[in-house]
Amino acid sequence: MDAGFFRGTSAEQDNRFSNKQKKLLKQLKFAECLDKKVDMTKVNLEVIKPWITQRVTEILGFEDDVVIEFIFNQLEEKHPDSKMMQINLTGFLNGKNAREFMKDLWPLLLSAQENIAGIPSAFLEQKKEEIKQRQIEQEKLASLKKVDEDKKEKDTRERAQSKSPRRRSPAKRERKHSPSRSPRRKPVSPVGGSSPPPPLMQLTTKSSEQLVEPDTSGRAVPEPVVQEASSTWFVKSLYLL
């Protein structure tokens, strides 16, 4: 018996497997971008691995390390076969999901090999947008912080003004400290003047005249000294007022 019977054969050597692959290549639909070759030496695979992990998790609904590592291993080759890769993933992701996955993955690889850093242009634009959004958020936070600081400073200034005594205006201070003007009194004219005496003085004089009655007895009548003196004192007191 030939010793080759006991030795295993690879998939390339097995005609049944090769025929099956040829049949799948004719039956399956492939995106047009898969016709282009990718040089993985120009691609930064470490940057694309997180995207592969996230995309496979979205398709399956959970993170499958076996499928993810299987994809990584196929991309380790210098020129991976895109169509064969889609055929190999069909058993894990089904035909439709495998086709959508390769349709999204291959343009990223083609874009990455065109850039010096080996990073897809879509990732660079996404990173720029993230940086821009971060700057906008920082500016908003700085603006809100400045508004809060201005408000606190204003409140502090208002509290300080409310505690300090209020200053009066110069006009109010002058009006407050100016001496009060007493109303002028009109001087009382003397008795011998041309103007008539006040009503009170006339009343007093008349009353004094009424008290002295004429004496018809012929005796000498003493002069009313007291009444005249009292009227004179009353006039002087009014003048002094």
Side-chain angles (χ1 to χ4, degrees):
M1 185 179 291
D2 188 5
F5 177 80
F6 297 99
R7 187 173 57 211
T9 56
S10 61
E12 291 79 3
Q13 295 172 349
D14 193 345
N15 293 331
R16 293 174 300 175
F17 186 77
S18 60
N19 292 334
K20 186 176 180 180
Q21 285 182 338
K22 292 178 181 179
K23 186 178 180 180
L24 289 174
L25 289 171
K26 292 179 181 180
Q27 292 178 351
L28 295 178
K29 295 180 180 181
F30 302 96
E32 294 180 359
C33 60
L34 300 185
D35 295 333
K36 299 178 181 179
K37 292 185 178 181
V38 174
D39 186 0
M40 293 301 298
T41 59
K42 299 179 180 180
V43 177
N44 190 346
L45 184 59
E46 295 300 324
V47 178
I48 303 177
K49 281 182 177 181
W51 180 90
I52 294 173
T53 303
Q54 181 180 358
R55 190 73 181 89
V56 171
T57 304
E58 290 176 355
I59 293 173
L60 297 177
F62 59 94
E63 186 174 349
D64 193 334
D65 296 336
V66 176
V67 179
I68 294 171
E69 289 296 330
F70 180 64
I71 296 172
F72 292 166
N73 292 335
Q74 293 183 82
L75 295 176
E76 293 293 339
E77 299 179 8
K78 184 178 180 180
H79 298 286
D81 190 342
S82 58
K83 294 182 179 180
M84 287 301 302
M85 189 173 176
Q86 179 176 331
I87 292 173
N88 295 335
L89 291 176
T90 301
F92 297 99
L93 306 178
N94 72 48
K96 180 180 178 181
N97 291 334
R99 181 171 64 253
E100 293 294 331
F101 175 79
M102 291 303 298
K103 183 180 179 181
D104 296 337
L105 173 64
W106 215 249
L108 295 177
L109 299 177
L110 293 172
S111 176
Q113 72 177 356
E114 299 295 332
N115 294 329
I116 299 176
I119 302 174
S121 299
F123 286 11
L124 296 175
E125 293 297 329
Q126 183 179 1
K127 195 66 177 178
K128 290 180 182 179
E129 189 66 22
E130 290 177 359
I131 295 174
K132 184 178 179 180
Q133 292 295 332
R134 192 179 299 113
Q135 290 178 350
I136 293 174
E137 291 178 358
Q138 290 177 354
E139 290 176 357
K140 287 182 179 180
L141 292 175
S143 178
L144 293 175
K145 184 177 180 181
K146 188 176 184 302
V147 171
D148 293 339
E149 291 178 354
D150 293 343
K151 186 177 180 181
K152 291 179 180 179
E153 184 179 356
K154 183 179 179 181
D155 294 341
T156 304
R157 188 165 56 252
E158 289 179 353
R159 285 196 299 268
Q161 290 178 355
S162 62
K163 291 181 180 179
S164 60
R166 295 182 179 179
R167 296 182 177 179
R168 295 186 178 87
S169 61
K172 291 183 177 180
R173 290 200 302 269
E174 183 178 356
R175 186 162 57 250
K176 181 179 179 182
H177 295 288
S178 61
S180 59
R181 297 180 179 179
S182 59
R184 296 181 178 179
R185 298 181 178 179
K186 294 182 180 180
V188 181
S189 59
V191 179
S194 60
S195 60
L200 182 59
M201 186 172 64
Q202 292 178 0
L203 179 62
T204 309
T205 306
K206 186 176 180 181
S207 60
S208 61
E209 291 177 353
Q210 292 177 355
L211 292 175
V212 180
E213 295 180 354
D215 190 1
T216 57
S217 61
R219 289 179 298 178
V221 180
E223 296 180 359
V225 180
V226 178
Q227 287 84 354
E228 185 178 355
S230 61
S231 61
T232 304
W233 173 83
F234 182 75
V235 171
K236 286 183 180 181
S237 63
L238 290 177
Y239 182 75
L240 291 176
L241 289 176

